Amino acid sequence: MLRKWDLQLSLDRDGGLPVHLQIAQQISADIQRGRLWPGAPLPGSRELAAQLGINRKTAVLAYEELAAQGWLLTQGRRGTFVAPSLPLLSPRSAPAAARTPASDPAHDDIDFGDGVPDSRLIPFDVLGRAYRRALIAAARAGRLAYGDPRGELPLRQALAEMLDMERGLNADAERICVMRGSQMGIYLAGRALLRPGDAVALDALSYPPAREAFRSLGARPLDVEQDAAGMRPDALERLCRTHPVKAVYLTPHHQYPTTLMMPAERRLQLLALSRRYGFTIIEDDYDHEFHYSRSPMLPMASLDAAERIIYVGSLSKVLAPGLRVGYLVAEPALIQRFAADIMLIDRQGNAVTELAVTELMHSGELKRHLRRALRIYRARRQALADAIDRHLVGLAEYKLPEGGLALWLRLPSWVDMPRLSADARSEGVRFLPGGAFAGDSRGIPALRLGFGALEAAQLELGVARLAQALRRQIPAA
């Protein structure tokens, strides 16, 4: 199919907005005003790069951002096309009909959330084919009947290979149990380790569902002071001297919610305390795959004395939270305990989903999807940081996170957090305040801003609205 006209794009190379986002915004605007209609072909990334005098990677990143937003559809060797069903627009096929005005995103509420992935990035066609083949194979092999509560053996073997090669874990299929997401893994780990009244230690700011899971088991969650390196060993040791701590819950790779990485020395200190006081570490590696600046640090479970660690991992964020694929890595005796508890809870997981994910891992599609998603998330992370630098200069501080899908924003001590939340809602923006992560719900002048599921324009608008709400509280000079 021949294009009726070439793309006419104007780039401001000295502007604050990255070039690939300028391209994405202008193409989506052309689609919304009908200049590009559903099904219209676009130039290939090489051709677009040549036309604009840019690096091909920039053109690829622009197309990937548009595909993530639902504006474009890439069909392998056939090329890249305007999607037949457009976001914010009713499905239509003729160019004239595409001129219906789109809704104004400036009137939409913006919810930063806590750092969920963008499910629009999933390669649905690839996943759909994998599901179809998995369903047929499972039916023919009798795997749609009751199976192993530890999960499908091919998936456990694929996970073991991945964990060995990429995370340094000495894991095999007998040391892995598949479950429905990391939250189920946290609950089962607590159920295996804790009895009513037992003490479990967490960072003073930690993952609220983990704290609630331990409470539901009758355990006593005890907060431990933390600093820029994570949980403080001296504070944990003081706690261990006064309480028989049975477990310690940690998120060392990107601490939840502050996103900071625990250095190797601190990890070794905490492992030494686990040997001295006999507690087990529950290591929640909830977003290991999302790392930007350098090679990610290996998990604590890869170190010596890993028998004192239950490792919690998940593929839900790599694909989509709704697919619910998590896993635990532990000693075989604990794996058998987890399997027995699964028999009481839901008997087993979804064999078709597990086999489909196995195929994506073996074929390399999962890794290809992750590489593509990382490029988009890295750009959105930078877009959020740039927006903060523009709108919140002098009013907030942050450290650009090395990984994850959220940023921890520190605010001045004079900020009234309940008032800020209310004022922000009136401006049309929502966020998770720092106090939401504290066991005592005390006011913490900080926010966790998720960027993974938001487009650059939404991030810009959300931060601008947040700045308006915050300026209402600036003390008089």
Side-chain angles (χ1 to χ4, degrees), residues 238 367 375:
R238 286 195 299 270
K367 185 166 288 188
R375 289 196 296 271

Side-chain angles (χ1 to χ4, degrees), residues 42-208:
L42 272 73
S45 58
R46 293 184 189 277
E47 183 181 349
L48 180 64
Q51 287 178 9
L52 300 177
I54 59 175
N55 189 290
R56 185 185 172 222
K57 289 184 178 179
T58 302
V60 170
L61 197 58
Y63 278 174
E64 287 178 341
E65 177 67 29
L66 287 162
Q69 296 177 23
W71 296 111
L72 300 186
L73 181 65
T74 300
Q75 297 182 343
R77 294 183 178 179
R78 288 196 62 217
T80 300
F81 302 84
V82 177
S85 180
L86 299 173
L88 305 177
L89 301 171
S90 301
R92 49 186 69 89
S93 57
R99 301 179 189 274
T100 304
S103 65
D104 184 358
H107 297 301
D108 296 337
D109 281 352
I110 294 173
D111 189 349
F112 281 100
D114 75 338
V116 297
D118 192 338
S119 59
R120 296 170 300 180
L121 300 181
I122 296 175
F124 293 103
D125 53 342
V126 174
L127 181 61
R129 289 193 296 270
Y131 257 99
R132 181 176 181 275
R133 286 190 288 266
L135 177 60
I136 293 172
R140 289 175 176 171
R143 282 178 164 154
L144 296 182
Y146 290 125
D148 193 328
R150 297 174 298 175
E152 289 294 314
L153 179 59
L155 178 55
R156 289 188 286 127
Q157 291 171 330
L159 286 169
E161 181 180 1
M162 179 269 290
L163 292 170
D164 182 45
M165 297 294 293
E166 298 185 5
R167 303 189 196 177
L169 272 66
N170 183 23
D172 57 39
E174 300 305 308
R175 297 184 65 239
I176 295 177
C177 187
V178 178
M179 54 205 55
R180 270 52 70 204
S182 59
Q183 181 61 28
M184 184 176 178
I186 294 167
Y187 176 82
L188 288 180
R191 182 175 168 88
L193 299 174
L194 303 169
R195 298 293 177 269
D198 283 349
V200 54
L202 304 89
D203 286 311
L205 298 179
S206 191
Y207 183 50

Side-chain angles (χ1 to χ4, degrees), residues 311-328:
Y311 181 80
V312 184
S314 174
L315 295 176
S316 297
K317 281 195 173 183
V318 178
L319 292 166
L323 290 179
R324 312 311 302 148
V325 180
Y327 53 91
L328 289 175

Side-chain angles (χ1 to χ4, degrees), residues 9-11 17-32 36 42 48 52 58-67 69 71-72 455-457:
L9 305 178
S10 175
L11 302 181
L17 194 64
V19 171
H20 79 278
L21 293 179
Q22 295 182 45
I23 297 171
Q25 287 185 359
Q26 291 182 55
I27 292 178
S28 64
D30 278 350
I31 295 171
Q32 291 181 67
L36 293 171
L42 272 73
L48 180 64
L52 300 177
T58 302
V60 170
L61 197 58
Y63 278 174
E64 287 178 341
E65 177 67 29
L66 287 162
Q69 296 177 23
W71 296 111
L72 300 186
E455 299 153 14

Side-chain angles (χ1 to χ4, degrees), residues 239-253:
L239 180 65
C240 290
R241 287 172 178 169
T242 57
H243 297 79
V245 174
K246 293 294 182 68
V248 174
Y249 172 80
L250 296 171
T251 52
H253 195 52

Side-chain angles (χ1 to χ4, degrees), residues 237-443:
E237 185 160 22
R238 286 195 299 270
L239 180 65
C240 290
R241 287 172 178 169
T242 57
H243 297 79
V245 174
K246 293 294 182 68
V248 174
Y249 172 80
L250 296 171
T251 52
H253 195 52
H254 305 126
Q255 200 277 336
Y256 190 99
T258 66
T259 76
L260 298 173
M261 180 180 291
M262 181 181 289
E265 181 182 5
R266 181 65 56 89
R267 297 175 185 221
L268 292 173
Q269 290 173 323
L270 294 175
L271 269 174
L273 288 177
S274 75
R275 289 191 291 266
R276 185 178 310 163
Y277 292 98
F279 59 76
T280 299
I281 293 173
I282 302 173
E283 181 181 12
D284 183 359
D285 204 4
Y286 65 98
D287 64 355
H288 187 96
E289 292 83 2
F290 301 119
H291 205 80
Y292 311 108
S293 58
R294 56 184 174 84
S295 298
M297 188 176 292
L298 294 178
M300 294 178 69
S302 68
L303 302 172
D304 291 339
E307 71 276 1
R308 304 212 66 87
I309 298 176
I310 296 176
Y311 181 80
V312 184
S314 174
L315 295 176
S316 297
K317 281 195 173 183
V318 178
L319 292 166
L323 290 179
R324 312 311 302 148
V325 180
Y327 53 91
L328 289 175
V329 182
E331 293 300 299
L334 277 171
I335 294 296
Q336 292 302 323
R337 170 65 190 273
F338 301 148
D341 286 340
I342 288 173
M343 290 286 288
L344 298 175
I345 297 171
D346 67 349
R347 180 54 179 82
Q348 68 185 69
N350 186 312
V352 176
T353 296
E354 293 178 15
L355 292 173
V357 171
T358 303
E359 178 181 321
L360 296 179
M361 294 179 73
H362 284 317
S363 67
E365 290 291 349
L366 193 64
K367 185 166 288 188
R368 281 189 285 274
H369 162 64
L370 181 59
R371 283 198 296 265
R372 172 175 169 266
L374 273 173
R375 289 196 296 271
I376 293 173
Y377 293 145
R378 182 183 288 108
R380 292 179 180 179
R381 177 189 65 153
Q382 190 60 51
L384 176 58
D386 291 344
I388 293 171
D389 292 342
R390 278 191 290 274
H391 299 288
L392 291 172
V393 59
L395 293 175
E397 296 179 347
Y398 69 93
K399 179 180 179 182
L400 193 67
E402 294 185 73
L405 300 176
L407 179 147
W408 185 247
L409 191 71
R410 302 184 303 278
L411 302 175
S413 59
W414 47 258
V415 174
D416 181 330
M417 291 303 297
R419 177 185 169 186
L420 180 61
S421 295
D423 288 346
R425 285 195 297 271
S426 71
E427 296 284 352
V429 63
R430 298 175 183 272
F431 53 77
L432 288 175
F437 309 102
D440 56 6
S441 299
R442 66 188 187 280

